[in-house]
Amino acid sequence: MISGMNAAQFAQQLISADRMGKDQLFKNSLNTYNTKLDAYKLLESSMKKLTAKLTSFDTEAFKSKTASISDDKALVTVKTDAPKGLYDLSIHQLAQAQQLSKSYATEDELLPASGVLSIQLGADVADRIEIDLATVNGGASITVAQLRDLINKDAANPGVQASLVRTGGQIEFMLSANESGAANSLTVQLDGVDWGMTERRAAQDAQLTLNGIDISSASNYLENVVDGVTLELTKTHALGESSTIKVEDDSATSSEAVKDFVESFNGMLTQINQLTRSMGTTVLDSEKSKDGEDKDKISTSVKESQIGVLKGDSSIRMLQARMRDSVFAAAPNGMRLSDIGIEMGRDGKLQVDETKLTEALKNDPGAVQAMFTDGGSYVDRLEQVMKPFTEFNGFMDMKEKTLDSQIDRVEDNMARHDHLMEQRYQIYLTQFTAMEATINQLSAASDLFQ
């Protein structure tokens, strides 16, 4: 061709010029719809996370209990169902497992070559192990060390541990019950006669009193001794001594729960602000705590490109207004957030006076709990405000489906446009190919006259 381009290049340049305007229009529409769709999905995800957090908050946040004990005689743990109160604990005796031993000169000392050695654990005849010394080694004697191994490896062992204690001058062959308690005493006989072992530690139950009630336990670990209260006994009390156990509401956990409520609420409002405003907002990134660690945030970060993308959606602005209204009114018990140190700042976010909150939890923790857990509480109100948006076929689902349809429509139009441009390209290519052939023919003819 005259320009130095072939027919295909000419056709491609014309098509590029023809389609430039519509391609940009399609690209802008697709970008707008996808950005809005991502924003709605982001907001829906954040709302569902907040709803799940509120549900957990409503059922668990204020039920935590804490326990303290006045000395180191026992360890105390409590569950949420533990009743509040004071308990006087006196430990008279710790539970222990029985230990028996028998002295030998060395661990290689030989035992009798015959006889049946029986070890009975407790009163149940099924908890018994028997070793026929005449058969275990083909009639030959076995050593003390071999007997230890036979007992420990026996499949019928009911819960007995054999060991060797080396004193420096001799060997103590020791049998210990694996479980503590008087019911787990050991009886060791050879051919039905006591084997002559020495008791080193007696099998005994723990004996204690709790608020004057006598309690006996085969273990030093008393689970659920009072509803939700578990004791691990470590030492006995001297005569007349006792420990004081105090079970109370965990005000520190409750305080953190209230502050978490405020942080989650503020995070949701911040995200709505960013998605619905184009000026005066900043991107919400994962905040750093003072020690540099990322704090757990309900709201996922808003991208710079999403700032203000939903600014024309009045329903989202209405959601924000209703969320604020839900915490302005008094709780069902008549208390307001301001009564426990929570105020709305000029920026529209809730702010916590920790001193006032701590005082409120100290004076009347039940009243503070009722504000967030009773029927019609602040938690219930927020859940009701968000429900129309997050439920199946709710507002967010409808918005996302509409945008999905719009994206599909644009993509269909793009496909049709691509097909049309391909047809036009083929027309241009045919025309320019014919033109190129004609020019070549004329050029060849002109050469004949030179």
Side-chain angles (χ1 to χ4, degrees):
M1 300 273 306
I2 297 173
S3 66
M5 291 189 295
N6 58 33
Q9 291 172 324
F10 260 119
Q12 187 61 52
Q13 282 208 351
L14 285 176
I15 288 298
S16 296
D18 285 350
R19 70 179 303 161
M20 183 181 300
K22 269 200 170 183
D23 278 353
Q24 189 61 45
L25 180 63
F26 287 141
K27 181 180 179 181
N28 291 343
S29 297
L30 204 57
N31 182 63
T32 298
Y33 293 147
N34 276 316
T35 302
K36 284 188 176 183
L37 180 60
D38 289 344
Y40 280 119
K41 287 182 176 179
L42 171 68
L43 190 57
E44 181 184 24
S45 175
S46 297
M47 291 171 67
K48 286 182 176 179
K49 287 179 182 178
L50 178 56
T51 299
K53 197 173 187 71
L54 291 175
T55 300
S56 173
F57 183 94
D58 194 14
T59 57
E60 300 172 7
F62 289 96
K63 293 184 178 181
S64 181
K65 298 289 195 306
T66 183
S68 60
I69 186 168
S70 59
D71 56 30
D72 61 349
K73 305 298 184 183
L75 301 176
V76 186
T77 55
V78 290
K79 296 180 180 178
T80 56
D81 59 340
K84 294 184 293 184
L86 293 174
Y87 302 91
D88 186 72
L89 171 68
S90 183
I91 305 170
H92 313 304
Q93 176 177 288
L94 293 177
Q96 59 186 30
Q98 188 178 32
Q99 287 185 336
L100 305 174
S101 75
K102 191 174 180 66
S103 300
Y104 291 92
T106 71
E107 59 188 87
D108 296 323
E109 184 173 337
L110 296 175
L111 297 173
S114 63
V116 177
L117 181 68
S118 66
I119 304 172
Q120 176 70 47
L121 177 66
D124 190 341
V125 294
D127 294 332
R128 183 184 183 91
I129 180 176
E130 290 187 345
I131 298 175
D132 188 345
L133 298 176
T135 62
V136 293
N137 197 26
S141 297
I142 63 172
T143 65
V144 175
Q146 287 174 321
L147 177 61
R148 173 201 60 194
D149 296 338
L150 285 170
I151 293 172
N152 290 338
K153 296 177 181 178
D154 196 302
N157 189 319
V160 180
Q161 178 69 42
S163 58
L164 300 181
V165 179
R166 298 163 181 83
T167 66
Q170 61 182 20
I171 294 294
E172 290 290 327
F173 177 80
M174 181 171 288
L175 291 177
S176 305
N178 290 341
E179 301 292 337
S180 60
N184 293 313
S185 60
L186 297 171
T187 302
V188 185
Q189 295 179 326
L190 182 63
D191 288 337
V193 179
D194 183 74
W195 199 35
M197 300 192 77
T198 301
E199 185 175 66
R200 300 300 181 179
R201 189 170 65 183
Q204 65 183 33
D205 292 337
Q207 302 292 338
L208 60 145
T209 58
L210 190 67
N211 282 3
I213 300 172
D214 291 330
I215 298 174
S216 178
S217 170
S219 170
N220 291 315
Y221 186 79
L222 287 74
E223 189 173 10
N224 225 32
V225 63
V226 177
D227 289 339
V229 179
T230 295
L231 300 177
E232 185 175 352
L233 311 181
T234 57
K235 299 178 183 178
T236 58
H237 288 97
L239 186 63
E241 290 183 346
S242 64
S243 306
T244 299
I245 297 172
K246 185 177 184 181
V247 179
E248 56 190 337
D249 290 318
D250 189 349
S251 59
T253 300
S254 298
S255 177
E256 287 302 315
V258 173
K259 289 187 285 185
D260 195 25
F261 171 87
V262 170
E263 184 178 1
S264 299
F265 179 88
N266 287 341
M268 192 76 252
L269 291 189
T270 297
Q271 190 177 84
I272 293 175
N273 271 339
Q274 293 172 328
L275 293 174
T276 56
R277 293 182 184 177
S278 57
M279 300 295 292
T281 58
T282 57
V283 177
L284 175 66
D285 293 318
S286 296
E287 294 183 7
K288 296 282 186 179
S289 59
K290 292 181 180 179
D291 60 2
E293 295 295 327
D294 283 342
K295 295 172 68 177
D296 182 29
K297 304 294 291 181
I298 280 294
S299 299
T300 307
S301 298
V302 174
K303 297 177 183 177
E304 197 74 48
S305 61
Q306 294 173 321
I307 296 287
V309 70
L310 304 182
K311 63 183 178 181
D313 193 326
S314 60
S315 297
I316 301 299
R317 301 299 297 176
M318 179 184 66
L319 166 66
Q320 186 182 50
R322 288 182 177 176
M323 286 181 66
R324 287 198 178 107
D325 290 343
S326 69
V327 297
F328 269 124
N333 63 357
M335 294 180 66
R336 295 179 178 273
L337 288 179
S338 57
D339 295 328
I340 61 173
I342 302 175
E343 301 277 1
M344 185 76 75
R346 294 179 63 183
D347 58 357
K349 296 182 181 180
L350 296 178
Q351 300 173 349
V352 182
D353 183 332
E354 293 193 28
T355 301
K356 194 170 181 179
L357 174 60
T358 300
E359 191 67 22
L361 285 167
K362 179 181 178 181
N363 293 336
D364 195 348
V368 179
Q369 176 180 347
M371 297 172 70
F372 297 92
T373 60
D374 280 1
S377 67
Y378 290 122
V379 169
D380 288 345
R381 293 173 188 174
L382 279 175
E383 288 178 338
Q384 288 301 312
V385 167
M386 291 188 291
K387 184 178 179 180
F389 290 82
T390 58
E391 64 185 352
F392 179 69
N393 282 334
F395 176 82
M396 303 303 285
D397 277 354
M398 291 173 59
K399 285 287 186 181
E400 290 168 18
K401 287 177 181 177
T402 298
L403 285 166
D404 280 331
S405 297
Q406 291 172 325
I407 290 170
D408 289 342
R409 189 159 51 249
V410 172
E411 290 176 342
D412 288 343
N413 289 338
M414 290 174 68
R416 283 194 293 271
H417 184 58
D418 286 341
H419 180 67
L420 177 62
M421 290 298 100
E422 177 61 26
Q423 288 180 324
R424 187 170 296 179
Y425 169 78
Q426 293 300 329
I427 293 172
Y428 286 153
L429 180 61
T430 301
Q431 291 174 341
F432 285 124
T433 299
M435 183 186 302
E436 189 173 31
T438 301
I439 292 173
N440 288 337
Q441 289 175 356
L442 292 174
S443 178
S446 66
D447 289 342
L448 296 175
F449 295 98
Q450 291 181 359

